[in-house]
Amino acid sequence: MAIYTFFVFSGQSAAILLGRLYYNKGGKNLWMATLVQFIGFPILIPYHCILSSKKIALDRNVNQPDASALAFMYLSFGVLLAADSFLYSIGLLYLPVSTFSLICASQLAFNAFFSFCLNAQKFTPCIVNSLVILTISSTLLVFHPNSVNLTGISKEKYTVGVICTVGASAGYGLMFSLTQFSFEKVLKSQTFVTVLEMIIYESLVATCATLVGLFISEEWQGLKREMEEFELGRSSYFLTLICTATAWQTFNIGAIGLIFEVSSLFSNVISASGLPLVPVLAVIFFKENMDGIKVIATVLALWGFASYLYQHYLDDLESKAEIKHVKEISMIPLLKEDNF
């Protein structure tokens, strides 16, 4: 879990910052900005083959659904992933990094609702407190009067960016819950190979869907000019896209791994709690303004994360107490035999 959490924090922060760098230095293609969010999946294929060849996943063919069910699941997830990623690309284009990242935390509220409906998620006071605080942290920026980007983005485009980011957050909240539902009810597998297969297949579908959009929109015709006019040079253009794709795949492994190990809500809380790191990094790398509202939003996000972690600490104590109680009960027959 610690490794998955590190992947979420590092991958998410790097991917958002590199996406902003792409736009700041001359990148304009929304389809390309969308494509890099999942086109890096081939780097996972060799690792998947190694695990499969060593037969670590011995039970991966047990109780598997038929091919048509799997195809429909991966196709649906891939199309949803492509749509959400496109909306996120629009949001990142029209919003400052700090505003974009904190609004993204609203996906936690959507995921909480879908987890309650699809995954029978139980809500304790600490979890409810965490959800409310994190939601307030993100929505606080929507009503921030000075949050329009000072680089020339109009108020209309800012509004479009907010709407698209919130819409994408809702889509990702649904997708996280559906992913957990698929692990529990459809795939019914307990191996890391299943996690890799989920990422690879849905990313393949999302890549194909985005490429179709790229060619239908005819925006591919401007890619050569875009790379030539990129302020950092052609080689830096390719390097930015490659690093962005790698960062998103790192995030995907961490996010889906946490869904697999714990729950979709826990994965989303980890993701949301890592978002406050991005505004701080944006101030350092992009010289963005970190005013009082953003500071308050960051503190609230950290508070919400701490509240959720405290609930897991309580759950861990309760689990250990139950295990100890079960062991004590199991020892009673042995003690009776010793007395005889």
Side-chain angles (χ1 to χ4, degrees):
M1 284 178 56
I3 295 176
Y4 287 147
T5 301
F6 174 75
F7 282 175
V8 169
F9 283 167
S10 60
Q12 179 175 249
S13 300
I16 293 176
L17 292 174
L18 288 169
R20 183 72 262 173
L21 178 67
Y22 168 76
Y23 286 134
N24 284 355
K25 299 304 179 181
K28 303 174 183 177
N29 196 309
L30 285 172
W31 291 105
M32 180 58 69
T34 302
L35 189 63
V36 295
Q37 296 182 41
F38 31 74
I39 199 173
F41 73 90
I43 65 176
L44 303 177
I45 295 178
Y47 188 46
H48 174 269
C49 294
I50 292 173
L51 291 181
S52 299
S53 64
K54 290 183 177 180
K55 300 186 183 299
I56 294 180
L58 296 176
D59 64 337
R60 70 196 200 103
N61 292 321
V62 178
N63 297 324
Q64 284 287 324
D66 58 42
S68 59
L70 285 175
F72 177 77
M73 182 183 71
Y74 291 131
L75 181 63
S76 301
F77 284 177
V79 172
L80 181 59
L81 175 62
D84 288 339
S85 299
F86 186 74
L87 291 176
Y88 268 141
S89 297
I90 296 175
L92 188 57
L93 175 62
Y94 293 147
L95 298 176
V97 173
S98 53
T99 304
F100 168 83
S101 60
L102 290 173
I103 291 177
C104 284
S106 64
Q107 76 181 46
L108 186 60
F110 293 109
N111 182 232
F113 171 75
F114 292 125
S115 294
F116 177 78
C117 297
L118 297 175
N119 310 130
Q121 176 70 46
K122 295 181 180 179
F123 289 94
T124 64
C126 287
I127 290 180
V128 172
N129 176 68
S130 174
L131 296 176
V132 171
I133 294 298
L134 286 168
T135 302
I136 292 175
S137 170
S138 59
T139 55
L140 191 63
L141 296 171
V142 178
F143 303 101
H144 183 16
N146 299 320
S147 53
V148 179
N149 198 343
L150 300 177
T151 58
I153 297 297
S154 66
K155 190 172 183 179
E156 291 75 16
K157 289 184 177 179
Y158 175 83
T159 303
V160 171
V162 170
I163 293 173
C164 288
T165 305
V166 173
S169 298
Y172 266 106
L174 173 61
M175 188 168 179
F176 273 43
S177 295
L178 289 174
T179 300
Q180 180 182 345
F181 182 84
S182 299
F183 280 136
E184 294 174 349
K185 305 297 183 181
V186 181
L187 297 173
K188 298 179 181 179
S189 179
Q190 301 295 322
T191 67
F192 186 65
V193 172
T194 308
V195 176
L196 292 178
E197 289 176 348
M198 174 71 76
I199 298 173
I200 291 171
Y201 292 141
E202 70 181 25
S203 296
L204 175 62
V205 174
T207 298
C208 294
T210 305
L211 287 174
V212 170
L214 176 65
F215 283 97
I216 290 179
S217 65
E218 297 185 352
E219 290 190 17
W220 63 273
Q221 298 177 2
L223 290 178
K224 182 177 180 181
R225 181 180 178 182
E226 180 177 283
M227 69 178 68
E228 291 176 350
E229 296 179 351
F230 196 68
E231 294 182 18
L232 300 178
R234 178 179 291 194
S235 58
S236 295
Y237 177 84
F238 286 110
L239 184 62
T240 300
L241 295 180
I242 293 172
C243 291
T244 305
T246 303
W248 277 119
Q249 286 305 308
T250 302
F251 168 77
N252 288 337
I253 293 174
I256 295 182
L258 288 175
I259 294 174
F260 177 76
E261 293 288 347
V262 187
S263 70
S264 63
L265 187 61
F266 180 81
S267 179
N268 227 320
V269 167
I270 295 298
S271 176
S273 63
L275 288 171
L277 296 174
V278 181
V280 177
L281 296 174
V283 171
I284 298 174
F285 292 105
F286 299 125
K287 310 302 179 183
E288 289 190 1
N289 181 33
M290 191 67 173
D291 55 25
I293 296 294
K294 292 180 181 178
V295 171
I296 293 173
T298 301
V299 172
L300 287 175
L302 294 174
W303 180 8
F305 175 56
S307 178
Y308 195 91
L309 280 184
Y310 180 68
Q311 179 58 52
H312 271 271
Y313 169 73
L314 295 178
D315 292 342
D316 185 57
L317 289 180
E318 183 179 353
S319 176
K320 288 181 179 179
E322 290 179 356
I323 293 175
K324 183 179 180 180
H325 180 66
V326 170
K327 288 182 177 179
E328 290 176 350
I329 293 177
S330 64
M331 290 295 292
I332 293 177
L334 295 177
L335 293 174
K336 290 181 178 180
E337 290 179 3
D338 291 340
N339 290 332
F340 284 114

